[in-house]
Amino acid sequence: MKVLMIFDQTQAGLGGKESAELPLGGKMMAIGSCNMFERQVKDAGGKIIGTLYCGNQTFMNDPDTVSKKLAAMVKKIKPDVVICGPCFNYGEYGIMAAHTAQVINEHTDIPSFAIMSQECEKAIADYKDKVHILKMPKKGGTGLNQALNQMVMFAKMLVEKQDVNEFVKEHGYL
């Protein structure tokens, strides 16, 4: 299972709020917060083959163009699945992740989903009926390892074209 991650500047390890205008970019390797779940991906028979990233403000300035560029990059890289997140409780990142996952699903045949905490309520309300969004705790919340394991399990289910309806009912926002 070849996994591609999509991060904001913070999760990519490229700065915080002061780096919100970081341009769209990528590295063909696991960077930033991938170290939190890289082992789970490997244990599931997968590998993180790359990380795409974009500053929150760069995205918010032109979400449609940025999402379409990310989808085009995904097509060129050809992963088996794209994970947008984990977003924790970062609201703008939640919007970026959900919108981008939707555009990737619309413009490619590569499954994509987002994962965020309930504090990303705007993204959840606007996108839960358009794209799969898994639940996770906010930054510093309990249950992070379980949520990351579920994220990897869900990615594998999508790659294997399994029925995900029951999984989404239990672990996603409906």
Side-chain angles (χ1 to χ4, degrees):
M1 169 173 74
K2 298 182 296 185
V3 179
L4 181 66
M5 305 302 303
I6 296 185
F7 286 160
D8 71 349
Q9 75 278 2
T10 303
Q11 296 307 309
L14 299 171
K17 291 179 184 175
E18 77 284 354
S19 301
E21 294 190 14
L22 181 75
L24 181 63
K27 296 190 182 213
M28 295 309 298
M29 60 190 286
I31 63 170
S33 63
C34 287
N35 62 354
M36 289 190 306
F37 49 83
E38 200 166 13
R39 180 186 52 76
Q40 288 103 317
V41 173
K42 185 178 179 186
D43 290 349
K47 177 177 172 48
I48 298 171
I49 62 167
T51 310
L52 301 180
Y53 53 81
C54 182
N56 289 333
Q57 193 58 52
T58 301
F59 176 82
M60 297 304 273
N61 288 341
D62 193 354
D64 292 328
T65 300
V66 172
S67 291
K68 286 178 182 169
K69 286 181 179 180
L70 285 165
M73 294 166 83
V74 167
K75 268 187 189 178
K76 286 182 183 173
I77 296 169
K78 296 181 180 143
D80 296 321
V81 65
V82 178
I83 302 173
C84 300
C87 302
F88 295 94
N89 54 314
Y90 299 113
E92 287 186 343
Y93 181 26
I95 293 168
M96 180 176 100
H99 185 80
T100 299
Q102 178 188 0
V103 170
I104 290 168
N105 287 337
E106 290 172 352
H107 293 275
T108 76
D109 60 353
I110 299 162
S112 181
F113 67 97
I115 177 169
M116 61 192 70
S117 73
Q118 64 187 7
E119 288 79 9
C120 295
E121 57 271 325
K122 178 157 178 39
I124 294 164
D126 291 351
Y127 292 96
K128 67 183 170 99
D129 297 327
K130 301 171 185 169
V131 68
H132 294 304
I133 303 174
L134 297 185
K135 298 174 183 176
M136 70 172 299
K138 66 182 181 179
K139 189 162 180 92
T142 58
L144 179 60
N145 282 339
Q146 181 181 8
L148 295 175
N149 282 330
Q150 291 163 356
M151 176 185 80
V152 173
M153 276 194 311
F154 188 67
K156 188 170 183 171
M157 290 174 74
L158 290 173
V159 170
E160 294 175 351
K161 298 185 181 349
Q162 295 180 27
D163 181 352
V164 297
N165 289 324
E166 288 303 313
F167 191 93
V168 171
K169 282 180 190 172
E170 187 175 345
H171 304 291
Y173 297 103
L174 300 174

